[in-house]
Amino acid sequence: MAQRYGGKYSPDPTDTDPTETTPDIGTYRDAKRTRAGGRVNFLFLAPLPLIWQAFGNGASAMALNLLALGALLLAAWLTREGIIAQEAYDARKVARRPGVPRKMAGSLLTGIGLGLAGFAAGGGTLAALVYLVAGTLLHGFAFGLDPLRDKGMEGIDQHQTDRVARVVDQAEAHLAAMRDAILRSGDRQAEARVERFQTKVREMLRTVEEDPRDLTAARRYLGVYLKGATDATIKFADIYARSRDAGARSDYMMLLTDLEENFTAKTRKLLQDNNSDLEIEISVLRDRLQREGIHLDS
């Protein structure tokens, strides 16, 4: 039965096919527990009283209060998405700044929403402006700014970093799908086993981010094999949720063990190759300096 989950997706530690491609799937969301809760959830609840303020005070008050409610709810959503995007940025050693500054947009919309609510309450234009400025600044202080610069890309070939970013995004999408699928199985031990495997995958991702030259050697692992692991997880979760098939569970656990060992071995080989490359570069540099008459102490 192991073939059901393995087959063509069972990895070969020596496989470094540079021609393998992976599908373009979604955007990155970090699998770790997010900070986009607590205060952010309060942002969704705080403007709800405006619903009651919107009715019974005339058409103008209704329109202003509903606009304020919409602005504040949109601000809350943008803030949450901005925090998730920053967590993804912080988790990577090589990352582009978010394309849309969501938290900053959330700050501005919060100010606009509060300004509209203040004007609807009869505070006048000056009071509305005060609410707008205060709301924007307080939201900015509470949640901070979005990342405004790319990270870890100095001195690195732009084309290579773009390729790495795309592969990492696709790999993280596979990991997210894998996590969501295993939760359906209702098996805590399987969930912990998948989490351990994902830790090994992310070690390979960080290794590739640190040295984009490793992408060619790791591409099949982060594409075909990882997608195969995700497909197997989805099949297992569907089977086990229906039948609690112990044989299917055993086969799936064995597959994860095999995959984890292969990913670990491949990551270790990538690190060893990187060390060898560094030693060669140092040796070449020493020889060149010696030819120039500069001698370095060993």
Side-chain angles (χ1 to χ4, degrees):
M1 292 179 67
Q3 187 71 13
R4 180 195 316 171
Y5 302 115
K8 66 177 181 177
Y9 296 119
S10 298
D12 175 3
T14 64
D15 194 350
T16 59
D17 184 358
T19 64
E20 192 61 52
T21 58
T22 52
D24 184 14
I25 303 177
T27 55
Y28 173 86
R29 278 177 179 263
D30 195 1
K32 297 179 181 178
R33 185 180 299 276
T34 177
R35 298 192 303 272
R39 293 178 301 163
V40 179
N41 292 335
F42 176 75
L43 293 180
F44 286 96
L45 299 175
L48 295 183
L50 291 173
I51 298 174
W52 287 270
Q53 295 292 329
F55 299 98
N57 295 315
S60 297
M62 179 179 69
L64 288 171
N65 279 295
L66 290 179
L67 284 172
L69 175 64
L72 291 170
L73 290 177
L74 180 57
W77 178 77
L78 285 171
T79 301
R80 182 181 65 190
E81 294 300 304
I83 291 174
I84 292 172
Q86 181 165 9
E87 288 175 345
Y89 176 91
D90 292 339
R92 294 185 179 182
K93 295 183 178 180
V94 179
R96 292 194 177 282
R97 64 184 184 276
V100 177
R102 299 174 182 88
K103 290 196 293 180
M104 295 165 66
S107 296
L108 181 59
L109 282 171
T110 296
I112 292 173
L114 292 177
L116 289 171
F119 190 79
T125 303
L126 180 60
L129 288 174
V130 171
Y131 286 130
L132 189 155
V133 173
T136 301
L137 293 177
L138 289 174
H139 184 283
F141 285 133
F143 297 101
L145 302 178
D146 300 274
L148 300 177
R149 299 177 59 185
D150 297 336
K151 180 174 68 171
M153 295 187 177
E154 299 81 2
I156 298 178
D157 179 74
Q158 191 68 42
H159 176 67
Q160 279 288 80
T161 58
D162 288 343
R163 291 178 62 216
V164 169
R166 286 195 297 271
V167 171
V168 171
D169 284 343
Q170 293 162 9
E172 287 291 351
H174 289 320
L175 293 178
M178 193 175 184
R179 183 189 67 246
D180 293 342
I182 199 62
L183 291 175
R184 297 199 303 271
S185 72
D187 188 312
R188 293 292 182 85
Q189 187 176 356
E191 292 174 21
R193 192 68 186 77
V194 166
E195 184 175 350
R196 195 172 80 184
F197 167 68
Q198 292 186 327
T199 298
K200 297 300 181 182
V201 175
R202 288 195 170 91
E203 289 178 3
M204 181 178 288
L205 291 177
R206 301 294 85 82
T207 300
V208 172
E209 285 182 326
E210 289 178 0
D211 190 346
R213 294 173 299 179
D214 290 333
L215 178 60
T216 298
R219 192 178 186 92
R220 183 181 290 271
Y221 282 77
L222 299 177
V224 175
Y225 298 150
L226 187 54
K227 186 179 187 302
T230 302
D231 292 344
T233 302
I234 293 171
K235 293 177 183 177
F236 164 73
D238 292 340
I239 293 171
Y240 196 71
R242 290 195 308 267
S243 64
R244 317 306 285 183
D245 187 335
R249 184 180 185 277
S250 176
D251 290 342
Y252 177 67
M253 291 295 199
M254 290 175 60
L255 174 66
L256 284 183
T257 298
D258 182 47
L259 286 169
E260 182 180 329
E261 290 175 353
N262 279 277
F263 270 80
T264 300
K266 188 63 176 180
T267 302
R268 188 180 300 116
K269 186 175 186 301
L270 293 176
L271 292 173
Q272 290 173 349
D273 290 345
N274 290 343
N275 290 338
S276 298
D277 291 342
L278 177 60
E279 291 174 0
I280 292 172
E281 290 178 4
I282 291 174
S283 177
V284 170
L285 179 60
R286 284 181 179 274
D287 292 341
R288 180 171 298 176
L289 291 174
Q290 287 175 359
R291 288 197 300 270
E292 296 292 333
I294 303 173
H295 299 278
L296 299 178
D297 294 332
S298 299

